[in-house]
Structure formats: C-alpha cells, structure tokens
Amino acid sequence: MSSPMDMLPRVGLGWDRHALAAGESCTLAGVNIDSPVGPTGHSDADVILHALTDALLGAGGLDDLGTLFPDTDPQWKGASSDQFVAAAVALLADSGLRVISADMVVICDQPRLAPHRAAMRANLAQLLNLPIDRVNLKGKTTEGGGSAASQAIEVHAIVMLKGVPRAGGCS
Ligand code: MG
C-alpha cells in the first residue's frame, strides 16, 4: 500500500447464468441440493460461487474468472468452485485487500432455495472468512416471467473490500 487512496473501500460486481438441465447435480454456494435439475457447466457449475468470484476479482482489479480459470482448461473440468473463491481471496490478500461484505441475488424458478438458504449463507461466510451478518443471499423467482428464465439460474453478486495496512506500515 503506498497511497491513502489504497485504504478506501472498493466494490465489485459479478454476474453469472447457467442453463438448468434434468439429471445434472446441483451444487449452489457449495451446498449439495437434492433437485431434479441442476446447472450445466464445465466445472461443478456453481453459478453462485462463479458470480461471487467475479465480484471479488472485479473489486480488486484482478481480471476475471474466465481468464484465470478458463473453461477450455481440462484441469477445471468438474472442479469444485470453492477453490475459485479461495484463489480470489488469496489474490486479494496479496494485493493488501480483504473482503468486508458480500450480497447476492439468485434468480431461479427451481430448485427452491429457501430450505437451503441458511446453509448456503453459512458456507459463503466461511469461504470469505466473514461473520454471517456480513454475507447475504436472497432467492427470487421469475413468477412465470419468462420460459427461458425458468430453465436457467442467474446470480448477481456484489462485494465490498477494504485495504489492509501492511505489517510495518505507518498507517
Ligand atoms: Mg459460470
């Protein structure tokens, strides 16, 4: 950290959307959900963690998920997406930044998220090393607002970061 501006908070926005298909496993925010449909994708298709990772990287000025973990790379096939969040948090730490809050909106008509919301929130808080009241996640349905939307799951994520004074620094 070299300038007072580095101590000011930063926000980051992430978005992701995956198609839903019958018979796919369904892991959302790291929680395995018993569902007849699940998101399709190269990794474990955890659309919540993908949007969160992009929000973290965005806030830190650190490229994006697709660049750091390309879906053309076989090493990410079936990968657990919590490692993308962990990698982003580690990159932020290297840049003298830490997460102080995160909020997400998950839009899908299925599966029903309410029964899993507490577990997802707890998992997100653990991944981000935050108390649970610093992490939120809201499920929304489209209320029949579009047949395409009912076959997909979409996530908007926003995070706030703050600069961490370097050890030995004067601030
Ligand atoms: Mg994705």
Side-chain angles (χ1 to χ4, degrees):
M1 290 292 170
S2 56
S3 118
M5 194 169 168
D6 292 335
M7 289 295 125
L8 296 177
R10 305 182 186 204
V11 294
L13 180 66
W15 174 91
D16 199 16
R17 178 185 171 113
H18 283 235
L20 290 166
E24 294 284 342
S25 62
C26 186
T27 303
L28 295 173
V31 174
N32 294 316
I33 294 175
D34 185 15
S35 166
V37 297
T40 62
H42 183 70
S43 64
D44 64 358
D46 192 328
V47 60
I48 295 176
L49 297 189
H50 294 180
L52 174 61
T53 303
D54 260 344
L56 294 167
L57 295 172
L62 293 168
D63 236 319
D64 64 20
L65 180 71
T67 304
L68 295 180
F69 310 105
D71 63 8
T72 50
D73 187 334
Q75 77 169 298
W76 307 121
K77 176 137 184 70
S80 175
S81 293
D82 55 5
Q83 66 190 293
F84 303 146
V85 177
V89 169
L91 286 168
L92 293 174
D94 289 346
S95 299
L97 296 165
R98 65 156 298 171
V99 192
I100 56 171
S101 72
D103 192 18
M104 280 146 268
V105 178
V106 185
I107 304 156
C108 62
D109 289 339
Q110 55 181 337
R112 269 181 44 74
L113 299 180
H116 309 286
R117 185 166 168 259
M120 290 193 288
R121 218 178 145 191
N123 206 38
L124 291 165
Q126 185 174 38
L127 281 171
L128 296 172
N129 298 314
L130 286 176
I132 201 148
D133 67 349
R134 291 285 186 141
V135 179
N136 211 345
L137 175 147
K138 290 93 65 186
K140 307 289 285 185
T141 68
T142 68
E143 312 253 8
S147 58
S150 69
Q151 294 161 25
I153 181 166
E154 179 175 315
V155 181
H156 302 253
I158 191 164
V159 301
M160 182 166 279
L161 311 181
K162 74 167 194 169
V164 180
R166 299 287 195 184
C170 59
S171 55

